[in-house]
Amino acid sequence: MSEKAMLVDLSKCTGCRGCQVACKNWNGLPAETTVNKGSYQNPPDLSPSTFTLIRFQEMDDGKGGLKWLFRNDKCFHCGDPGCLKACPVPGCIFKTPEGAVIIDPDKCIGCKYCYHTCPFSVPQFCSKSEKMYKCTFCYDRQADNLPPACAQACPTGTLIFGDKADIYKMAHKRVGEIGGSASVYGDQYVGGTHVVYVLTEPADAYDKLPEKPKIAGSVALWKDVLKPLSMVSLLGGVGAGFLYYIMKGPKRPDLEEGGDSHE
Amino acid sequence: MTNHWIDLRNSDCIMVMGSNAAENHPISFKWVTQAIDKGATLISVDPRFTRTSARAHVYAPIRSGSDVAFLCGMIKYILDNNLYFDEYVREYTNSSFLVNPKFKLPADNEGVFSGLKGTKTKEGYVNGKYDKATWSIQKNTDGTPKKDKSLQDPNCVFQLLKKHVSRYDLDKVASITGTPKEKLLEVYKAYASTGVADKSATIMYAMGWTQHTVGVQTIRAMAIIQLLLGNMGVAGGGVNALRGESNVQGSTDHCLLFHILPGYLKTPKASQPTLEAYNKKYTPKTSDPMSANWWGNYPKYSNSLMRAHYGLNTTLEEAYSYTPKLDDGKNYSWLTIFDDMYKGRFSGFFAWGQNPACSGANANKVRKALTKLKWMVNVNIFDNETGSFWKGPDMNPSEIDTEVFMLPCAASMEKEGSVTNSGRWMQWRYKATNPAGEAMPDGEIITELHYRIKELYEKEGGKLPEAITKLTWDYGLKMPDGKIKHFDSHEVAREINGYFLKDVEIKGKLYKKGTLVPSFAFLQADGSTSSGNWLYCNSYTEKGNMAARRGKVDPSGIGLYAKWSWCWPVNRRILYNRASVDKNGKPWAIDKPVIWWTGSITKWKGDVPDGGWAPLAAGKASRYPFIMKPEGHAHIFGPGRADGPFPEHYEPLECPIEKNPMSPQFVNPTVKRWDIKGIGTELDTRATCDPRFPIVCTTYRVTEHWQTGVMTRWQPWLLELQPDMFVEMSKELADMKGIENGEIVKVTSARGEVVAVAVVTPRFKPFTIEGQEVHQVGVPWHYGWRQPHPELKELRSANLLTPNVGDPNTMIPESKAFMVDVVKKGGAQ
């Protein structure tokens, strides 16, 4: 199979959230008990049981009017995934030839390195199972030549799944059509992502979207030098501890970060 | 819809007004998006910036209840700037017809049309009724309408319209609607740009237009615009009602409403004692040989319906005598039923597939009315606020004698049958799974009910027992006891299509007794055919179940997909399509033709034409395109309505201003006013321009829930997305009231109060109406008290606030514009 990608054309999204529900349906994810806190965005963030989320954002259009942005947020399935680099357990995070980046929950030890390394803060920790979860790019559907559930459900053509080369081309063509401040987001970062946006606004206008996503240099050090060393010298624990220390400082029992559970 | 969903992609300009299609008809945006990709302009007109507005090229805010003024302003703009499609308007509409010189417009008659009878108050007339004698068209000696094709005669429809809308200038319209003038112009300009032959614009509307005391006139105003621009009958045009349920089109076609029988035949009245008198009353005549006057076929359809009900068990006259009649002058609409129920005028009620305790306007009155019943049967897939009304938060079960029976029924995917979508496509659906537990398909429940009632009539007699005992009931295989064990929806579909009841020869061809009628052109008035709904005659023929077809080929190129399912009438995908061509049968829009004439032998190509006659240039061999009107011309002047032949702005029953800026007539003079002493009850309250309720309120839906939420509130994935009742308001209003985003507040009206989460948003902005600042809020009507949060014992249903007053033509309640206040409840959730 060729390398795949998904176009997320935000100029066409109506925020209907068919994608969000289809994702839960296909992946058998439980609903969260949510509260209306004055926004349509719910659940409030990605979680171990919410792999894809529409972020709602109201914005002044600078001309006395309004814009309402809807952003389908989920794993970007990076070409050079920081999570995979950071994971201390062999085979726990892997890439399929099509480009899906997958966490194998059976192997996950819940160390959260993947969360801390991910430039988009995607993997989420479940405090009940003590494992990490995220979008799988529906690699199980891809195996049957089906698009991911979210793309299947999308009525407007916002989410389009196809060969990576075609999708990248389509994204650039679409940006040309829209003009203005539209841009392609993803193809130039972290090894070229397998989920690419057509943004209608400058990247820094969107909530929780890094303007120029990259993996911390310390992770490269771990991946390229210390991880191989630790594997052969059974120093994994020390290596992992070292990595944690240089990234986050000393471990505290009351861990705030790491996408706490929303069960 | 006169057109259909896929056809939206053919439009050059799409106006979404009175609906919020991106949220409530999300799949429609598949086609809207394709139209935009091809360069179409999308306009969103809404009191609030919605998910539809987010995708629109133009967003124009509007105060709820002022749509007629907005649209009359557009008509004026089109006429003033000569942007109408001249040939179309002259030839295909009644614009050239001369109206009775005694007819008066509201400008010359204190805000009402000539002929109004009613009680005059300081607000103008109330509970009025029009004598339509002056709303007539002048006739030539041969009985045809007098016309002035130059459109110059002061009494011609065109000049009257021009005079009527001249009062709706930009300043006036902006002052009534609160829409900034430059936004009005932007919308008018974009929409009116389609008044040329090869362009089309379409309207997507829903309950945001209908649920007003001027609902029908709003749609009339739009129909006039579409006619002026030549947008009826063409691809990417039409007047398109987006239906609120998957099968509302089907249930309306099959007579969900009290005043119609299947196929939009009229419900007989007590004053029409014989079938002959009934048919005579409703069969229009024409004196113009070029008018097809399709309703001239009325007796063929009504008589075939009698045969569908009683078969050959009775004569046609007997069948008619068994058919229920309306008492003359009596209205049996939703609002009247619950008023009668509240007044104890009947004692039993089937709440079938509905949740009136949440869905009914002035729901407190509805809920109290339910306490007056002896019994109620709730047929639904879940228990709801109606079935459990007696244990509602403010009810005392020990004081309520109503006995409630719950009959669980199958959900749509647990039974086989058809669903007719908004685009009139009858689509067959198969059963996916068996119903849960004891639940049964509705058809089986009705069949069982029929047998029990029939047995009681046979045993005990009663008034007119034959009405039940002589009914045909052939909806499945009969067992040795003569009864059907399993209801078969195919048998119903075949009965709806209709049979030949004896051998009939038509145009030299013999049609055998017992075979299915090929189409309604073959239905007979002599009792030799049956048809449960003439409009659906052709849907299930000797060739099979047309609705089950799944042909994916589209030779039309404009998305007609003629072999996918079936569409009424006779698989015609775009209604009035004879208006899409010029007098030679050449399409106005050559790149998106609906039909085109190919000569006397090969005839029409494309869609099924609205009648196969040659184009108008053929003279007497041809027929005018609007075949359902007796004179064959579309109605710009529409005397059929209860409240006027032209649309006129009246304020909603409850509004924020003291006077109608257009005239001394405050509210639509012909609405039934339950709030007037001696007519309604103590619960039919009204508070207009009342300092206690200074804020305009409207109700709406969200993508994530459906109707009163009976299906969706129990679905955790949907509840997660929109977990609770909310009220949306502007930052300006929230500041004034000291309300924080996410805070729990109370919304109150003259009729009730509702607890809701405040969603404070820049998507609502204050309006300037008649020089004063007016705030508006909005509430979704999906919530109740059964689920979620029954433990809070709080009523969270929007219809507790809404008034029970309806449009005079349809009696649909005015749930879209009324007055409220919003107050802090204190404390976050």
Side-chain angles (χ1 to χ4, degrees):
Chain A
M1 249 193 189
S2 54
E3 212 172 337
K4 299 289 182 187
M6 188 188 293
L7 176 67
V8 182
D9 181 353
L10 297 185
S11 73
K12 292 185 175 173
C13 180
T14 56
C16 78
R17 298 196 274 189
C19 52
Q20 211 176 308
V21 176
C23 175
K24 293 225 161 183
N25 186 330
W26 177 259
N27 292 298
L29 298 171
E32 302 180 33
T33 303
T34 57
V35 171
N36 185 331
K37 288 182 173 164
S39 165
Y40 282 22
Q41 186 174 313
N42 242 331
D45 211 336
L46 294 173
S47 80
S49 55
T50 300
F51 295 172
T52 188
L53 175 77
I54 296 287
R55 295 187 184 277
F56 290 77
Q57 194 183 341
E58 290 155 346
M59 205 177 96
D60 200 322
D61 75 349
K63 294 179 281 185
L66 194 65
K67 286 180 179 176
W68 200 5
L69 309 182
F70 316 120
R71 179 165 76 88
N72 173 293
D73 191 10
K74 59 174 176 272
C75 176
F76 279 81
H77 299 279
C78 306
D80 182 18
C83 58
L84 193 157
K85 278 190 167 157
C87 181
V89 183
C92 170
I93 298 184
F94 60 96
K95 248 174 91 176
T96 69
E98 294 78 36
V101 179
I102 313 220
I103 302 175
D104 180 349
D106 289 344
K107 293 185 177 152
C108 177
I109 57 168
C111 70
K112 301 182 192 169
Y113 292 171
C114 52
Y115 170 80
H116 291 296
T117 327
C118 173
F120 309 101
S121 308
V122 163
Q124 300 288 310
F125 180 69
C126 170
S127 56
K128 203 168 159 193
S129 67
E130 298 196 312
K131 289 172 189 300
M132 305 300 291
Y133 297 90
K134 70 166 192 70
C135 162
T136 67
F137 215 26
C138 284
Y139 74 106
D140 46 353
R141 290 172 60 88
Q142 288 190 36
D144 274 342
N145 268 324
L146 293 168
C150 54
Q152 176 94 52
C154 178
T156 59
T158 302
L159 305 180
I160 295 175
F161 180 73
D163 286 344
K164 186 179 168 195
D166 296 342
I167 293 292
Y168 273 30
K169 246 185 261 167
M170 208 184 281
H172 284 278
K173 183 167 172 268
R174 180 70 186 149
V175 161
E177 284 165 11
I178 303 171
S181 46
S183 65
V184 177
Y185 179 97
D187 61 340
Q188 69 279 46
Y189 304 123
V190 281
T193 55
H194 291 84
V195 171
V196 286
Y197 281 126
V198 167
L199 301 179
T200 55
E201 310 300 320
D204 63 353
Y206 292 90
D207 283 345
K208 302 211 168 184
L209 185 68
E211 200 182 340
K212 291 193 172 91
K214 59 173 196 266
I215 309 166
S218 50
V219 178
L221 172 72
W222 155 249
K223 159 86 176 171
D224 300 334
V225 184
L226 294 172
K227 191 171 166 185
L229 191 67
S230 68
M231 289 305 152
V232 291
S233 59
L234 305 173
L235 285 169
V238 177
F242 172 70
L243 177 71
Y244 192 88
Y245 194 86
I246 57 172
M247 285 174 66
K248 294 289 162 187
K251 186 172 179 174
R252 288 178 297 271
D254 181 20
L255 192 67
E256 296 259 307
E257 321 90 324
D260 207 0
S261 161
H262 292 277
E263 284 171 80
Chain B
M1 291 171 101
T2 58
N3 294 39
H4 60 99
W5 293 108
I6 297 176
D7 183 62
L8 294 167
R9 79 177 193 207
N10 296 318
S11 196
D12 298 294
C13 182
I14 299 173
M15 184 157 82
V16 183
M17 181 172 174
S19 81
N20 176 10
E23 301 197 37
N24 301 326
H25 298 87
I27 311 301
S28 71
F29 260 62
K30 181 186 183 82
W31 313 111
V32 173
T33 308
Q34 288 184 15
I36 293 173
D37 279 353
K38 289 195 284 184
T41 306
L42 177 65
I43 299 168
S44 163
V45 184
D46 199 291
R48 164 188 68 129
F49 190 98
T50 66
R51 283 180 255 189
T52 302
S53 318
R55 289 279 69 88
H57 301 97
V58 185
Y59 165 67
I62 181 175
R63 169 178 64 110
S64 281
S66 63
D67 305 70
V68 168
F70 189 103
L71 297 174
C72 282
M74 191 186 308
I75 297 173
K76 177 172 159 55
Y77 178 86
I78 292 167
L79 296 176
D80 286 355
N81 295 288
N82 288 322
L83 297 170
Y84 54 94
F85 186 0
D86 190 89
E87 189 179 345
Y88 189 106
V89 171
R90 236 177 263 267
E91 300 298 332
Y92 295 168
T93 74
N94 68 2
S95 63
S96 64
F97 291 18
L98 303 187
V99 176
N100 186 332
K102 288 185 186 149
F103 170 72
K104 279 189 190 162
L105 289 165
D108 307 322
N109 198 41
E110 297 180 307
V112 299
F113 296 91
S114 48
L116 188 71
K117 307 265 186 292
T119 318
K120 205 163 177 197
T121 70
K122 62 180 185 343
E123 292 183 2
Y125 290 92
V126 292
N127 288 319
K129 192 170 165 29
Y130 277 108
D131 171 352
K132 297 184 185 175
T134 59
W135 303 7
S136 56
I137 300 293
Q138 300 179 40
K139 296 280 169 69
N140 295 312
T141 46
D142 67 356
T144 56
K146 269 193 188 166
K147 295 175 192 169
D148 172 23
K149 284 281 184 80
S150 75
L151 308 184
Q152 296 303 314
D153 189 301
N155 286 320
C156 83
V157 166
F158 187 82
Q159 290 300 329
L160 287 172
L161 176 71
K162 205 167 181 177
K163 185 177 168 196
H164 176 60
V165 298
S166 66
R167 298 144 69 224
Y168 292 86
D169 60 69
L170 272 187
D171 287 316
K172 188 67 113 181
V173 173
S175 170
I176 294 173
T177 59
T179 313
K181 271 196 278 186
E182 65 277 11
K183 284 286 165 194
L184 286 172
L185 274 175
E186 212 178 330
V187 174
Y188 294 172
K189 198 174 166 198
Y191 202 87
S193 71
T194 63
V196 291
D198 60 345
K199 298 262 188 224
S200 56
T202 192
I203 172 68
M204 298 168 73
Y205 79 90
M207 270 68 87
W209 266 5
T210 57
Q211 291 180 349
H212 292 282
T213 44
V214 290
V216 167
Q217 292 295 351
T218 305
I219 295 149
R220 277 277 301 140
M222 195 67 220
I224 291 171
I225 290 170
Q226 290 298 65
L227 290 171
L228 290 174
L229 299 173
N231 283 335
M232 293 306 294
V234 302
V239 173
N240 294 308
L242 314 183
R243 301 308 211 140
E245 292 196 35
S246 52
N247 204 10
V248 147
Q249 185 65 51
S251 57
T252 313
D253 298 340
H254 294 303
C255 87
L256 174 83
L257 302 170
F258 76 93
H259 65 298
I260 49 176
L261 292 179
Y264 303 93
L265 302 176
K266 310 277 188 198
T267 310
K269 289 183 178 163
S271 60
Q272 296 146 5
T274 62
L275 181 59
E276 198 189 342
Y278 165 79
N279 279 335
K280 195 174 167 202
K281 169 85 182 167
Y282 297 121
T283 308
K285 288 196 171 62
T286 180
S287 305
D288 193 331
M290 284 185 65
S291 175
N293 184 30
W294 199 263
W295 278 117
N297 295 305
Y298 197 95
K300 297 177 187 170
Y301 308 150
S302 53
N303 294 5
S304 294
L305 177 67
M306 296 299 131
R307 283 292 191 230
H309 288 166
Y310 292 99
L312 297 171
N313 299 340
T314 69
T315 65
L316 287 173
E317 278 295 347
E318 280 168 347
Y320 178 77
S321 73
Y322 304 149
T323 304
K325 315 280 187 304
L326 304 174
D327 283 340
D328 290 72
K330 175 99 168 120
N331 178 287
Y332 300 83
S333 69
W334 179 276
L335 294 174
T336 316
I337 286 174
F338 283 96
D339 188 59
D340 282 348
M341 190 191 291
Y342 183 80
K343 289 170 178 166
R345 290 177 180 159
F346 60 91
S347 54
F349 174 53
F350 274 85
W352 206 308
Q354 54 178 256
N355 188 15
C358 287
S359 67
N362 196 358
N364 274 327
K365 182 178 177 185
V366 171
R367 293 163 65 248
K368 288 206 174 79
L370 297 173
T371 69
K372 311 281 176 83
L373 293 167
K374 280 202 185 107
W375 57 267
M376 176 173 67
V377 182
N378 192 32
V379 191
N380 216 307
I381 59 172
F382 294 116
D383 179 35
N384 56 13
E385 281 79 3
T386 301
S388 286
F389 79 92
W390 51 275
K391 52 182 174 180
D394 54 349
M395 294 275 172
N396 182 355
S398 66
E399 292 172 358
I400 298 167
D401 291 334
T402 315
E403 189 175 3
V404 181
F405 304 89
M406 172 77 195
L407 297 183
C409 61
S412 60
M413 65 295 282
E414 295 166 348
K415 58 190 179 189
E416 188 176 3
S418 75
V419 164
T420 303
N421 73 10
S422 301
R424 297 167 287 104
W425 292 16
M426 176 194 183
Q427 306 195 83
W428 200 259
R429 292 184 177 184
Y430 302 98
K431 184 168 102 169
T433 181
N434 286 322
E438 296 177 297
M440 285 160 74
D442 297 304
E444 294 201 6
I445 298 175
I446 293 171
T447 296
E448 189 58 28
L449 199 59
H450 161 74
Y451 286 133
R452 302 286 181 100
I453 293 171
K454 190 177 171 186
E455 274 165 24
L456 282 171
Y457 270 118
E458 281 165 349
K459 215 187 304 171
E460 300 175 14
K463 279 183 191 160
L464 209 60
E466 298 86 354
I468 298 290
T469 60
K470 292 204 170 173
L471 280 174
T472 59
W473 206 274
D474 301 323
Y475 307 129
L477 184 67
K478 286 188 178 158
M479 295 289 131
D481 63 357
K483 289 184 183 173
I484 295 156
K485 200 164 176 201
H486 288 295
F487 168 85
D488 182 352
S489 48
H490 288 270
E491 292 296 349
V492 177
R494 282 192 273 262
E495 179 177 287
I496 287 169
N497 180 82
Y499 294 97
F500 289 103
L501 301 179
K502 60 180 188 190
D503 291 359
V504 179
E505 195 181 303
I506 299 165
K507 289 185 184 166
K509 196 176 168 198
L510 183 70
Y511 294 89
K512 298 288 281 179
K513 177 183 174 175
T515 58
L516 292 155
V517 179
S519 87
F520 55 65
F522 296 80
L523 292 176
Q524 306 294 320
D526 63 3
S528 59
T529 54
S530 72
S531 176
N533 188 333
W534 72 277
L535 275 180
Y536 281 74
C537 189
N538 184 235
S539 63
Y540 206 123
T541 67
E542 292 299 321
K543 289 181 187 158
N545 183 357
M546 298 290 132
R549 296 183 304 169
R550 292 295 181 267
K552 292 181 186 166
V553 199
D554 178 34
S556 75
I558 57 165
L560 298 181
Y561 293 95
K563 290 188 176 165
W564 178 278
S565 74
W566 180 88
C567 167
W568 71 254
V570 288
N571 209 28
R572 181 175 302 131
R573 305 281 159 146
I574 296 182
L575 296 179
Y576 312 116
N577 55 27
R578 284 176 67 92
S580 71
V581 295
D582 67 12
K583 61 178 190 292
N584 296 310
K586 188 179 154 219
W588 302 121
I590 215 75
D591 61 336
K592 44 183 179 186
V594 183
I595 57 167
W596 59 99
W597 181 249
T598 60
S600 55
I601 295 160
T602 44
K603 304 205 181 261
W604 294 99
K605 297 279 182 230
D607 195 10
V608 178
D610 226 337
W613 309 281
L616 275 180
K620 286 203 171 148
S622 183
R623 295 290 180 273
Y624 304 125
F626 287 89
I627 63 170
M628 303 311 282
K629 292 290 172 203
E631 328 83 13
H633 290 69
H635 277 190
I636 283 179
F637 183 81
R641 307 284 72 78
D643 44 355
F646 290 130
E648 165 77 347
H649 171 77
Y650 299 113
E651 285 294 322
L653 181 72
E654 292 187 343
C655 71
I657 47 179
E658 285 180 344
K659 277 193 208 149
N660 178 356
M662 293 306 300
S663 78
Q665 179 63 39
F666 197 22
V667 176
N668 186 334
T670 57
V671 296
K672 176 159 183 179
R673 292 277 297 270
W674 272 276
D675 64 296
I676 302 284
K677 219 177 155 192
I679 294 176
T681 70
E682 72 284 0
L683 299 178
D684 301 304
T685 45
R686 173 200 187 205
T688 196
C689 232
D690 185 322
R692 293 173 302 157
F693 306 107
I695 304 165
V696 180
C697 185
T698 193
T699 63
Y700 42 69
R701 310 185 190 197
V702 298
T703 314
E704 297 81 1
H705 285 288
W706 206 57
Q707 308 286 60
T708 65
V710 174
M711 289 164 81
T712 53
R713 281 186 271 140
W714 299 94
Q715 204 330 314
W717 288 330
L718 297 176
L719 197 60
E720 168 192 83
L721 300 171
Q722 289 285 13
D724 210 344
M725 178 68 180
F726 60 88
V727 52
E728 285 178 291
M729 66 184 76
S730 68
K731 287 186 192 304
E732 291 82 354
L733 178 64
D735 283 349
M736 205 167 81
K737 297 276 184 180
I739 292 167
E740 302 281 337
N741 189 27
E743 184 177 339
I744 303 286
V745 296
K746 271 201 291 192
V747 187
T748 61
S749 81
R751 292 156 297 277
E753 63 175 53
V754 172
V755 178
V757 178
V759 172
V760 179
T761 168
R763 294 180 294 101
F764 254 126
K765 293 266 186 236
F767 294 103
T768 305
I769 309 294
E770 290 284 277
Q772 50 177 308
E773 187 176 70
V774 170
H775 292 276
Q776 180 164 349
V777 298
V779 283
W781 60 280
H782 303 297
Y783 299 94
W785 53 266
R786 283 283 285 114
Q787 162 74 8
H789 307 307
E791 76 286 355
L792 293 176
K793 298 192 185 306
E794 280 173 344
L795 297 164
R796 296 191 170 198
S797 167
N799 274 309
L800 297 163
L801 305 169
T802 54
N804 53 312
V805 63
D807 178 278
N809 299 282
T810 61
M811 293 301 285
I812 195 168
E814 189 163 59
S815 314
K816 291 291 176 267
F818 52 96
M819 300 301 290
V820 299
D821 194 16
V822 181
V823 292
K824 284 168 83 78
K825 185 165 179 270
Q829 192 177 28

